[in-house]
Amino acid sequence: MYKALAYKEWIKIRWWAVGSLILELLLLIYIFTNLRAVIEYNSAEMIWSSIVYKSYMFFQSLKYVPFVVGIFISVAQYLPEVLDMKLKLTLHLPLEENRVLLFLNLFGTTTLLLLFIPLVAVLVIGSSIVFPSEITYAMIISIIPWFLSGFLSYFFVSAIMIEPTWSRRLVIAIIGYFLINEFLVDVILGGFIKIIVVLIVFTLLYNYAHMLSGLRFKRGSK
Amino acid sequence: MEYVVEVKNLTHYYGSKKVHENLNFNIKKGSIFGLLGKNGTGKTTTINILNGFLKPKSGQCLILGEDSYKLSPKTKSQIGFLIEGHIQYSFMNIIQIEKYYSQFYPQWKRDVYFDLMSKLKVLDNQKISKMSCGQRSQVTLGLLLAQDPDLLILDDYSMGLDAGYRRLFLDFLKEYGKAENKTIFITSHIIQDLDGFLDDCVILDYNGVVLQMPIDEFKNTFKMYQFNTNQTELISKDGVINNFEIIKNKATVYSFNDVENVQNHLRTKGVNFTDFKDHKMDLEDAFIGLTGKY
């Protein structure tokens, strides 16, 4: 039965997922073309100096992409469910409602993981070829909050869409805005190192935000 | 189990607005039951409560013996649910949606669905969102019949359908319900279509239940009488007269009493009348007679 649910979710998101992949591919081409140009036209000392003293991040243009992809997947997955209250059809299936909501969330989260892992992998491999491991490590620490913001945007936008009352939608949107802002704040290269675990825990906690809205939808809250 | 649906003292409010207060009705297994009422009398609210999509303020609804707010997956598999407007996953086509739903219901009747689809002039890869409302109604009907549920809950099947598709929908349902001894709970705002279709009904108005009885009994016992009178101001609703209308000197009264009782009652009230006629009504006339035009 869950395989059938996954089938439905895939039909909804497939073109958005493909679109997100194309976006990521174009971004990678842009990042590495740009990096190549920087290496070609500047001396090694200058690049080092930019990285160490000016926190130059060759992957900076990646910053908002996970956030946007999170919104894409959430909208693709939940907008068709809330238009005309189709979520009722899903919750009427012969399955336990909490498990259905959890599965929908798990499907979206897994999709994001599958979209993000290749992007990170290419970045890490590309960085390892050009820079020493310390720079690559600092890059990983820097991009983790950006990717977490992608999961958060997915969780919050999903909760906003499922939530049946406008007042709570507004509250969720405000919390989401301020929280995601914290993940996207500008810091020096590798600057998130001390709070990275806290950010991950926060993200996991908000994973369940849409569950509460889903249960309120089920209860018919107005 | 004698009753498939049991509604006991159901009370629900939206804020301070009363929707139901102590609503009670039961639906017998194998019967076709109509919940009739004008817009805003709480039909969809009742459907939402019965399907567990709304928690009532108080009272209890039992569906196949289970509390409607806590239906188990097994019980949900025995309930076919039509959302008002024939809502389905419009991003799927007829092949995808069959493939999807068939995984959830072990007794899925694939042939029933594809027999119905073969009568539609739609392409296999045509999305449901690109279909007419009538075609969509046939897709939802096909899915419901293939699910083979014991209880069908249909919220305003008639919305957006022309007369042909409405008839088609009811003809299929009636045949299915009677042949398989299924229970059907239906709401509609087009009362005339349900004439000859329903076994039992509850009629709601803005103050609650105005009638609950077998449909034949309602049609046979509820009468419309028309007469001319100059004492129109003396006519009012009471224990004998359920409703009335006055146009100039012509009065129309609706009552569950026979001619003799109504005439005696009018005389007692001091109403003199001439040209007293007893009119036969169809279900829609009777519904309007009971609930009024406004």
Side-chain angles (χ1 to χ4, degrees):
Chain A
M1 288 188 197
Y2 288 100
K3 200 174 147 194
L5 260 186
Y7 172 67
K8 170 171 74 82
E9 297 309 298
W10 173 241
I11 290 173
K12 284 188 290 187
I13 67 150
R14 55 188 170 173
W15 295 117
W16 291 81
V18 170
S20 299
L21 263 182
I22 292 170
L23 175 72
E24 290 180 3
L25 186 66
L26 292 174
L27 180 81
L28 284 172
I29 292 169
Y30 172 78
I31 287 174
F32 286 109
T33 312
N34 210 29
L35 180 63
R36 192 180 162 188
V38 169
I39 291 168
E40 215 162 279
Y41 296 110
N42 295 282
S43 64
E45 291 79 11
M46 197 144 147
I47 295 171
W48 268 113
S49 146
S50 297
I51 290 173
V52 174
Y53 298 112
K54 294 180 188 164
S55 259
Y56 164 67
M57 299 187 204
F58 70 93
F59 48 87
Q60 178 72 33
S61 45
L62 165 80
K63 188 173 181 181
Y64 293 100
V65 170
F67 169 76
V68 171
V69 170
I71 294 175
F72 275 4
I73 299 302
S74 173
V75 170
Q77 205 182 345
Y78 288 102
L79 191 63
E81 294 284 342
V82 294
L83 287 176
D84 300 322
M85 310 283 261
K86 290 190 198 79
L87 190 57
K88 281 184 182 177
L89 295 170
T90 305
L91 295 176
H92 184 69
L93 293 168
L95 296 168
E96 212 269 309
E97 288 101 359
N98 289 347
R99 287 187 185 180
V100 171
L101 290 168
L102 206 58
F103 182 84
L104 297 185
N105 182 270
L106 191 68
F107 183 89
T109 311
T110 309
T111 304
L112 288 180
L113 267 177
L114 293 174
L115 287 170
F116 292 162
I117 286 171
L119 182 59
V120 175
V122 174
L123 275 172
V124 170
I125 293 166
S127 172
S128 315
I129 293 168
V130 181
F131 298 109
S133 58
E134 288 82 357
I135 299 289
T136 303
Y137 175 70
M139 179 196 75
I140 293 171
I141 296 299
S142 295
I143 63 174
I144 284 177
W146 301 349
F147 281 94
L148 291 178
S149 82
F151 289 101
L152 278 178
S153 67
Y154 170 77
F155 299 146
F156 275 101
V157 173
S158 304
I160 289 166
M161 281 196 283
I162 298 174
E163 171 59 45
T165 62
W166 281 102
S167 56
R168 284 186 189 242
R169 273 183 187 153
L170 189 67
V171 171
I172 296 167
I174 291 169
I175 295 172
Y177 173 79
F178 284 108
L179 191 70
I180 292 171
N181 245 351
E182 291 303 310
F183 284 63
L184 294 172
V185 72
D186 284 326
V187 292
I188 57 164
L189 187 62
F192 278 111
I193 184 75
K194 288 180 183 162
I195 58 161
I196 204 78
V197 176
V198 177
L199 295 184
I200 292 171
V201 170
F202 255 104
T203 308
L204 289 174
L205 280 177
Y206 279 90
N207 183 12
Y208 296 100
H210 90 294
M211 289 284 293
L212 297 174
S213 294
L215 294 175
R216 288 170 48 70
F217 177 94
K218 165 78 173 50
R219 207 164 54 211
S221 299
K222 292 248 177 193
Chain B
M1 184 194 303
E2 195 191 358
Y3 295 119
V4 174
V5 176
E6 295 169 75
V7 175
K8 299 172 185 172
N9 300 317
L10 180 70
T11 299
H12 192 68
Y13 284 75
Y14 285 126
S16 59
K17 186 181 179 294
K18 182 182 82 178
V19 183
H20 293 312
E21 193 152 29
N22 294 320
L23 177 66
N24 289 284
F25 64 86
N26 298 319
I27 304 178
K28 281 183 246 165
K29 183 175 169 54
S31 68
I32 303 179
F33 187 96
L35 185 67
L36 311 179
K38 296 172 186 171
N39 292 335
T41 50
K43 301 189 296 293
T44 297
T45 299
T46 311
I47 296 262
N48 282 335
I49 291 171
L50 289 179
N51 275 300
F53 291 119
L54 195 58
K55 194 169 188 177
K57 284 272 182 258
S58 63
Q60 193 182 32
C61 289
L62 297 177
I63 307 284
L64 299 162
E66 277 185 17
D67 186 331
S68 69
Y69 193 66
K70 296 170 192 160
L71 294 175
S72 66
K74 184 174 179 290
T75 300
K76 283 199 283 184
S77 74
Q78 295 169 282
I79 304 169
F81 176 35
L82 175 78
I83 298 180
E84 193 176 16
H86 302 273
I87 301 301
Q88 262 306 337
Y89 298 115
S90 49
F91 49 86
M92 289 183 169
N93 60 42
I94 58 170
I95 304 293
Q96 290 170 332
I97 204 161
E98 192 276 336
K99 187 177 169 188
Y100 169 68
Y101 276 116
S102 63
Q103 305 302 308
F104 293 98
Y105 304 101
Q107 72 279 22
W108 186 259
K109 293 179 172 173
R110 191 172 185 270
D111 294 344
V112 173
Y113 174 78
F114 281 110
D115 277 354
L116 205 54
M117 291 308 100
S118 66
K119 296 185 175 98
L120 292 180
K121 290 177 178 57
V122 295
L123 302 169
D124 284 354
N125 62 354
Q126 188 177 338
K127 281 188 183 176
I128 292 170
S129 60
K130 304 281 182 199
M131 293 179 188
S132 70
C133 194
Q135 289 171 328
R136 239 178 30 236
S137 74
Q138 294 297 288
V139 175
T140 53
L141 178 64
L143 293 169
L144 285 171
L145 301 185
Q147 183 192 333
D148 194 26
D150 294 326
L151 169 66
L152 278 160
I153 298 179
L154 312 170
D155 189 8
D156 206 347
Y157 76 95
S158 54
M159 185 174 272
L161 298 186
D162 61 30
Y165 272 115
R166 294 202 310 269
R167 178 70 64 85
L168 196 61
F169 197 94
L170 288 185
D171 285 349
F172 266 102
L173 269 185
K174 187 155 194 172
E175 193 183 322
Y176 172 76
K178 293 299 172 197
E180 308 268 345
N181 197 31
K182 305 292 186 183
T183 310
I184 300 173
F185 178 76
I186 193 165
T187 72
S188 175
H189 66 282
I190 302 183
I191 308 297
Q192 73 209 41
D193 286 357
L194 301 177
D195 208 349
F197 180 73
L198 299 178
D199 296 321
D200 290 296
C201 75
V202 159
I203 296 180
L204 300 172
D205 77 359
Y206 302 105
N207 296 313
V209 174
V210 286
L211 179 98
Q212 179 176 2
M213 63 170 58
I215 211 83
D216 288 340
E217 187 184 336
F218 174 48
K219 279 170 63 184
N220 291 332
T221 56
F222 194 55
K223 306 281 185 191
M224 176 172 80
Y225 303 105
Q226 285 185 319
F227 51 89
N228 294 322
T229 179
N230 291 322
Q231 288 91 34
T232 53
E233 71 284 356
L234 297 177
I235 301 172
S236 60
K237 286 187 194 178
D238 51 35
V240 174
I241 297 173
N242 290 77
N243 209 348
F244 68 95
E245 285 168 26
I246 307 286
I247 298 174
K248 292 186 178 171
N249 288 335
K250 188 164 189 172
T252 305
V253 299
Y254 299 92
S255 173
F256 283 99
N257 286 263
D258 60 22
V259 179
E260 202 174 324
N261 276 346
V262 172
Q263 287 183 338
N264 288 337
H265 182 68
L266 289 169
R267 284 189 196 104
T268 312
K269 287 169 84 96
V271 180
N272 296 316
F273 50 82
T274 57
D275 201 18
F276 195 98
K277 283 177 187 160
D278 170 0
H279 289 280
K280 200 167 172 56
M281 291 189 287
D282 60 22
L283 182 61
E284 187 173 68
D285 292 334
F287 173 79
I288 292 170
L290 188 67
T291 60
K293 288 175 181 163
Y294 293 101

